[in-house]
């Protein structure tokens, strides 16, 4: 039984791989199996150092742009999605493409296309420079304005304040996004909401789980890479929800012993692009230092799965 002095770990559930990441990583693995190495991947398939290294070791070649891919080769588009311009470039180079864009990102692309067709001004809440918003805005650059934070709201200009909709990146902080939307609505009272949540189920569920455990935690360790938006958000959410401290780590070996000084309860979670083996590494590291008692804090059960990209389904060839 745990007394007030007992060292313990609270382990958030859900954590780790979402359905879109699982599908994208599997897509690269299957492409390697089906077509042999090398298989090119535009950008990181998902934003995780370990995943990218593991797939590189198996013969995937990660490139920044399709002009680095030899004509006729296979290229996988990452889970974060691509703009139509990128698809066109790949076609011009006669690349055989496998599209690992998460279906929930494709859904947002569809919303952008639909509102652009109806000539709305689209305010896309998201992080400047992130691959997902580059792909999404690329669907209708003339109609889309990026709103990175509340600070951007004052400089937004629209043609008709009655015809404005906000959409968003899938991996944002729910609370922060709502603050931005609130500020936008003060300027544009008839601002329309997205037809359905753009911040995806996995992002939301991981934030709810970390919020549930953070108030009891002296320290929250989030396993995830520095360029992983949803993982970085989990650190921010943990701190906002009352964690004593919170750090993002790729590997257990990055845990600084000083972080554990005076700590009783350590929360552990991981971003949507993080394989469970890395979380196991963190739990083993903590157990070796006296935090062997682990209690899972479950706030949702996830069952969603996506079929592989159509180019990898049986009887299909990559074109
Ligand atoms: O959180 P971001 O968008 O940076 O990506 P990630 O690869 O770390 O996690 C999975 C999320 C996506 C593929 C974006 S939809
Ligand atoms: Fe899809 Fe959400 Fe995962 Fe992104 S975070 S890949 S939108 S399920």
């Amino acid at each position: 039984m745990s007394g007030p002095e007992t060292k313990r770990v609270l382990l958030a559930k859900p954590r780790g791989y979402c359905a879109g990441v699982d599908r994208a990583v599997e897509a690269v693995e299957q492409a390697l199996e089906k077509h042999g190495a090398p298989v090119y991947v535009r950008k990181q398939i998902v934003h995780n150092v370990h995943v990218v290294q593991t797939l590189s070791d198996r013969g995937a070649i990660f490139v920044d742009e399709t002009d680095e891919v030899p004509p006729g080769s296979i290229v996988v588009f990452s889970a974060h999605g691509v703009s139509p311009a990128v698809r066109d470039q790949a076609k011009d180079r006669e690349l055989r493409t496998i599209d690992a864009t998460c279906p929930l990102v494709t859904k947002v692309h569809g919303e952008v296309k639909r509102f652009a067709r109806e000539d709305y001004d689209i305010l896309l809440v998201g992080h400047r420079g992130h691959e997902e918003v580059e792909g999404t805005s690329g669907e209708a650059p003339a109609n889309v304005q990026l709103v990175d934070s509340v600070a951007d709201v004052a400089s937004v200009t629209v043609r008709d304040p009655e015809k404005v909709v906000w959409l968003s990146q899938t991996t944002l902080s729910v609370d922060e996004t709502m603050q931005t939307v609130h500020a936008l609505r003060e300027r544009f009272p008839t601002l329309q909401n997205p037809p359905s949540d753009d911040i995806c189920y996995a992002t939301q569920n991981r934030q709810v789980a970390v919020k549930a455990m953070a108030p009891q935690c002296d320290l929250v360790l989030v396993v995830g890479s520095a360029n992983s938006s949803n993982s970085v958000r989990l650190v921010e959410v943990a701190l906002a929800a009352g964690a004593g401290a919170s750090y993002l780590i790729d590997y257990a070996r990055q845990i600084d012993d000083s972080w554990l000084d005076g700590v009783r309860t350590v929360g552990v979670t991981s971003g949507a692009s993080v394989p469970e083996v890395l979380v196991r590494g963190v739990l083993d590291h903590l157990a070796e230092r006296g935090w062997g008692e682990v209690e899972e804090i479950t706030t949702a059960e996830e069952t969603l799965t996506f079929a592989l990209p159509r180019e990898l389904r049986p009887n299909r060839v990559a074109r």
Side-chain angles (χ1 to χ4, degrees):
M1 237 176 66
S2 52
E5 301 304 321
T6 312
K7 289 175 172 178
R8 61 172 185 162
V9 172
L10 300 181
L11 181 60
K13 184 179 172 194
R15 63 179 177 277
Y17 271 20
C18 60
V21 166
D22 200 41
R23 169 185 188 260
V25 173
E26 174 85 15
V28 179
E29 288 170 350
Q30 295 263 328
L32 283 165
E33 200 157 297
K34 189 169 169 182
H35 302 287
V39 162
Y40 291 82
V41 184
R42 181 186 176 275
K43 309 285 187 193
Q44 294 187 338
I45 185 71
V46 297
H47 292 152
N48 185 266
V49 168
H50 182 79
V51 170
V52 169
Q53 187 56 54
T54 307
L55 292 173
S56 301
D57 293 346
R58 294 181 53 183
I61 297 179
F62 291 88
V63 296
D64 248 347
E65 287 306 337
T66 49
D67 60 12
E68 297 165 53
V69 181
S73 307
I74 292 179
V75 64
V76 182
F77 292 143
S78 83
H80 314 90
V82 293
S83 66
V86 171
R87 289 184 197 282
D88 291 347
Q89 283 158 15
K91 211 172 185 179
D92 290 347
R93 287 183 74 74
E94 300 187 341
L95 304 181
R96 295 183 291 162
T97 57
I98 295 173
D99 187 1
T101 304
C102 177
L104 298 179
V105 173
T106 304
K107 184 205 79 169
V108 184
H109 282 235
E111 291 168 356
V112 169
K113 287 191 271 192
R114 176 189 138 195
F115 284 105
R117 258 195 319 271
E118 295 173 23
D119 206 26
Y120 273 72
D121 277 304
I122 299 165
L123 309 180
L124 182 66
V125 183
H127 295 302
R128 199 160 277 113
H130 190 282
E131 280 139 41
E132 183 184 331
V133 295
E134 285 176 357
T136 316
S137 1
E139 291 289 354
N143 291 69
V144 174
Q145 284 176 74
L146 189 65
V147 182
D148 196 309
S149 65
V150 173
D152 277 0
V153 172
S155 56
V156 170
T157 53
V158 301
R159 293 162 302 162
D160 175 0
E162 299 296 317
K163 222 174 160 183
V164 189
V165 64
W166 73 274
L167 302 175
S168 87
Q169 187 178 336
T170 57
T171 52
L172 303 180
S173 148
V174 175
D175 295 335
E176 214 179 356
T177 303
M178 286 311 134
Q179 285 166 19
T180 305
V181 171
H182 182 75
L184 284 171
R185 189 155 281 127
E186 288 198 331
R187 286 206 54 205
F188 311 111
T190 58
L191 177 70
Q192 282 191 36
N193 286 322
S196 62
D197 282 359
D198 288 339
I199 300 179
C200 78
Y201 81 98
T203 301
Q204 296 195 32
N205 285 348
R206 280 150 193 68
Q207 289 173 18
V208 168
V210 84
K211 263 188 195 177
M213 72 181 191
Q216 302 175 64
C217 297
D218 306 303
L219 167 70
V220 171
L221 296 173
V222 178
V223 188
S225 292
N227 64 341
S228 167
S229 168
N230 79 90
S231 305
V232 174
R233 302 291 84 77
L234 290 175
V235 172
E236 295 167 357
V237 170
L239 290 171
S246 182
Y247 299 101
L248 184 70
I249 48 169
D250 268 300
Y251 295 103
R253 61 175 180 268
Q254 292 164 340
I255 299 170
D256 190 316
D257 281 342
S258 69
W259 298 348
L260 297 167
D261 284 349
V263 164
R264 278 209 306 259
T265 303
V266 183
V268 175
T269 187
S270 57
S273 47
V274 179
E276 187 63 8
V277 64
L278 301 181
V279 174
R280 291 292 140 199
V282 168
L283 296 178
D284 291 347
H285 180 103
L286 291 171
E288 284 161 18
R289 286 156 182 79
W291 284 266
E293 184 187 314
V294 179
E295 184 189 340
E296 206 161 42
I297 304 290
T298 305
T299 50
E301 296 290 344
E302 292 182 347
T303 52
L304 186 68
T305 56
F306 293 127
L308 278 174
R310 61 185 168 77
E311 302 87 347
L312 288 165
R313 291 181 209 152
N315 306 323
R316 296 275 184 167
V317 283
R319 278 183 293 146

